[in-house]
């Protein structure tokens, strides 16, 4: 499975959009990009995932570049409760083990 | 709809003992995953079960084992506990492969975890 690179930390002002980047230059054609977040000592919360197209749900938007080598998670109006560690993950295909491999993630701090 | 449920929430064991952690997946999910998160460290993949069979295993010693029951619930057993086994153990579930190879687009949902403390 492809590895991902994320900045270790980011700050965002409350009410502003938070844009979290992720590089996954070795992603293969049938590997999905997943985003999760973890608030201290809780189970990871699923945010969104995509394969090729941009995706949007009630929590966030996922923008994947055309070459699929990077993506951006957008939280449109960050609140204090969005403070968490955000993980960008390229999930292994079913035959390769199907699991999520977590890296260090980005610690997002939303400030008032 | 109930999410992934785990029990117990907290467990304290003595070094050398065995610990058993349990997980009930979301209704309809046949795949169950186990992860370990030691304090201050990242999530490490332990095991993946799909339709009763172990499909993948992370880089953990054999004293970490588990099984999946016919109702798709699962348990994780840790034998000969060591102090460094103290961690948050997370269970997750997803729709399974149905016996076929599929793209990994079935979302994985996590429970809140079981805290294991080894003293």
């Amino acid at each position: 499975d492809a590895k991902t690179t994320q900045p270790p930390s980011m700050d965002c002002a409350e009410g502003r959009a938070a844009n979290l980047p992720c590089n996954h230059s070795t992603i293969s054609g049938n590997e999905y990009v997943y985003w999760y977040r973890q608030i201290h000592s809780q189970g990871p919360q699923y945010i969104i995932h995509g394969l090729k197209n941009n995706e949007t749900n009630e929590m966030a938007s996922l923008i994947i570049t055309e070459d699929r080598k990077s993506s951006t998670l957008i939280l449109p109006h960050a609140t204090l409760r969005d403070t968490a560690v955000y993980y960008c993950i390229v999930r292994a295909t079913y035959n390769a083990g199907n699991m999520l491999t977590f890296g260090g993630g980005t610690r997002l701090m939303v400030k008032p | 709809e109930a999410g992934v449920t785990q029990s117990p929430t907290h467990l304290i064991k003595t070094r050398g003992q065995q610990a058993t952690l349990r997980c009930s997946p979301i209704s309809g999910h046949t795949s169950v995953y186990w992860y370990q998160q030691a304090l201050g460290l990242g999530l490490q993949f332990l095991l993946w079960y799909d339709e009763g069979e172990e499909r993948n295993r992370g880089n953990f010693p054999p004293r970490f084992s588990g099984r999946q029951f016919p109702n798709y619930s699962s348990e994780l057993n840790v034998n000969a506990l060591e102090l460094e086994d103290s961690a948050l153990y997370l269970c997750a579930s997803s729709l399974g492969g149905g016996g076929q190879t599929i793209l990994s687009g079935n979302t994985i949902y996590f429970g809140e975890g079981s805290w294991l403390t080894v003293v």
Side-chain angles (χ1 to χ4, degrees):
Chain A
D1 53 315
K3 293 182 179 179
T4 61
T5 304
Q6 300 179 253
S9 64
M10 292 182 63
D11 289 344
C12 178
E14 188 179 18
R16 298 282 194 173
N19 296 292
L20 290 86
C22 179
N23 287 322
H24 31 79
S25 58
T26 60
I27 192 171
S28 66
N30 56 359
E31 289 179 323
Y32 282 78
V33 178
Y34 278 79
W35 284 82
Y36 284 81
R37 71 181 182 184
Q38 188 176 29
I39 298 170
H40 182 63
S41 298
Q42 297 180 15
Q45 179 187 23
Y46 165 76
I47 300 173
I48 199 165
H49 73 281
L51 185 63
K52 297 179 181 178
N53 300 319
N54 298 337
E55 301 289 344
T56 296
N57 62 20
E58 65 278 3
M59 288 184 67
S61 294
L62 174 61
I63 308 297
I64 303 174
T65 58
E66 193 169 343
D67 63 6
R68 303 214 319 127
K69 293 184 177 182
S70 67
S71 61
T72 301
L73 178 74
I74 301 173
L75 307 178
H77 304 287
T79 71
L80 298 179
R81 288 182 296 180
D82 292 323
T83 293
V85 178
Y86 286 77
Y87 296 99
C88 169
I89 302 164
V90 174
R91 183 174 173 185
T93 61
Y94 188 91
N95 283 342
N98 197 29
M99 72 284 193
L100 302 165
T101 301
F102 288 80
T106 295
R107 186 172 298 275
L108 176 68
M109 181 74 70
V110 180
K111 298 183 176 180
Chain B
E1 181 183 316
V4 177
T5 57
Q6 295 186 242
S7 64
T9 306
H10 294 86
L11 186 62
I12 300 175
K13 290 287 188 178
T14 303
R15 192 171 54 181
Q17 285 187 316
Q18 178 194 43
T20 299
L21 307 176
R22 295 177 177 84
C23 172
S24 292
I26 292 171
S27 177
H29 286 187
T30 61
S31 273
V32 169
Y33 311 78
W34 287 95
Y35 283 79
Q36 181 200 64
Q37 187 172 30
L39 196 62
L41 299 179
L43 289 93
Q44 301 294 319
F45 169 73
L46 265 166
L47 291 160
W48 168 35
Y49 293 95
D50 188 25
E51 297 190 348
E53 293 192 17
E54 183 180 304
R55 302 288 185 177
N56 192 19
R57 180 182 181 85
N59 188 26
F60 281 83
R63 57 192 186 81
F64 287 84
S65 65
R67 55 180 172 165
Q68 186 177 35
F69 300 99
N71 66 354
Y72 305 115
S73 67
S74 176
E75 68 179 28
L76 174 70
N77 295 295
V78 188
N79 294 319
L81 285 166
E82 300 178 1
L83 297 178
E84 51 265 35
D85 295 334
S86 296
L88 177 66
Y89 288 84
L90 291 156
C91 176
S93 75
S94 74
L95 293 172
Q100 301 176 12
T101 300
I102 58 168
L103 296 179
S104 294
N106 291 335
T107 303
I108 296 177
Y109 296 95
F110 285 81
E112 289 303 319
S114 293
W115 285 98
L116 173 63
T117 301
V118 183
V119 297

